[in-house]
Amino acid sequence: MSGRLAVVGLGPGDARWLTPEAEVALAEAEALYGYAGYLDRVPPRAGQSRHPSDNREEQARARAALAAAATGAKVALVTAGDPGVFAMAAAVCEAIEHGPAAWRSLDVAMIPGVTAMLAVAARVGAPLGHDFCALSLSDNLKPWETIERRLDAAAGAGFVLALYNPISRARPWQLGKAFELLRRHLPGATPVVFGRAVGRTDERVMITTLLEADAVQADMATLIIVGSAATRLVARPDLPPLVYTPRAGEASA
Ligand code: SAH
């Protein structure tokens, strides 16, 4: 009998953003794996074992969850947001590709979740209303030159950008450099959204411009959306402005 591994997206934080499918996968699991900070978001359930790990041990965590599933257990590996967006689903695929042949016969299910850029976008209007791309600014797994090339290409082609992993203690200067680079392509008035811990009690959302955007306004829990030249603000009396990117009109910066 082979076990099951569900790679479950918990969404950005608000329990109402957990899908019914994810809820079922969590309820059915006999063993829960994941970064300790994400596991804490899953209420304890009798008879379920919990295996928290450090955030940087992605491959080890994927292999441990697969090994547990291979014993016949129903395992859930939890991630924030969507498991396929800069998260554990790819780590699980990689572990299967390089792991024991038996892991290829396991029942593996990726359970989608609301990814951070969608939650942040929803808070401010429709900044992702037209073509956009998502980039991780982390140079842990790819060289910084690659990130610069992609920022150049994406901003130069008129995409709105969603920036994941903008900054960390180990990567303090990259975000400032990214803003500098983007200012070469885009007007200073281009709307920029900082969405921090969206859906959690310490949520903070800020709308600014590319000219004023400052890396100190971001931390590890922040997702940044940089508009294109077409992205605009709709002023509203006594309400924050709506940020949106029209679905038609200007093609690129
Ligand atoms: N799989 C996750 C992303 C993991 S990468 C997802 O789909 O959302 C981690 C990055 O995601 C963070 O550095 C931050 O940029 C972003 N992030 C995750 N949760 C967030 C939240 N609640 N609010 C804002 N950004 C968030």
Side-chain angles (χ1 to χ4, degrees):
M1 251 273 253
S2 63
R4 176 172 203 254
L5 175 62
V7 189
V8 181
L10 299 178
D14 189 324
R16 292 171 305 173
W17 288 340
L18 185 75
T19 69
E21 186 188 23
E23 229 168 316
V24 169
L26 295 174
E28 286 179 352
E30 294 157 337
L32 287 180
Y33 285 75
Y35 164 54
Y38 302 151
L39 267 190
D40 287 346
R41 282 164 47 183
V42 183
R45 191 179 288 269
Q48 212 170 46
S49 65
R50 297 167 84 91
H51 310 266
S53 55
D54 189 87
N55 204 16
R56 299 178 72 90
E57 299 164 356
E58 288 197 345
Q59 267 310 304
R61 191 186 317 152
R63 285 195 298 267
L66 282 159
T71 68
K74 280 189 180 153
V75 177
L77 174 55
V78 303
T79 75
D82 181 90
V85 180
F86 308 124
M88 289 305 297
V92 166
C93 293
E94 192 180 332
I96 293 172
E97 183 180 10
H98 301 292
W103 287 1
R104 296 189 184 221
S105 308
L106 286 173
D107 174 5
V108 175
M110 312 303 184
I111 314 290
V114 176
T115 189
M117 67 178 175
L118 302 185
V120 173
R123 283 289 192 250
V124 297
L128 307 179
H130 198 49
D131 296 343
F132 65 88
C133 66
L135 275 104
S136 167
L137 283 196
S138 169
D139 54 0
N140 291 340
L141 299 171
K142 64 190 168 196
W144 176 250
E145 298 69 51
T146 302
I147 298 173
E148 285 202 348
R149 214 173 55 239
R150 290 182 184 165
L151 285 169
D152 261 329
F159 288 106
V160 170
L161 305 176
L163 304 178
Y164 285 78
N165 294 312
I167 202 161
S168 75
R169 224 169 294 155
R171 296 181 290 105
W173 55 264
Q174 284 84 341
L175 179 59
K177 194 86 205 297
F179 285 141
E180 237 172 73
L181 202 146
L182 294 173
R183 285 184 195 113
R184 285 188 229 144
H185 292 281
L186 293 159
T190 304
V192 173
V193 180
F194 286 72
R196 181 185 181 279
V198 167
R200 298 185 223 149
T201 49
D202 50 345
E203 168 174 330
R204 201 172 63 227
V205 178
M206 191 186 75
I207 300 167
T208 181
T209 63
L210 185 53
L211 188 67
E212 310 248 291
D214 188 338
V216 301
Q217 293 158 318
D219 65 7
M220 272 173 72
T222 307
L223 181 288
I224 298 167
I225 297 177
V226 180
S228 70
T231 306
R232 63 196 66 207
L233 257 60
V234 184
R236 302 185 295 170
D238 304 321
L239 288 169
L242 289 170
V243 183
Y244 87 107
T245 308
R247 290 178 301 154
E250 299 165 59
S252 67

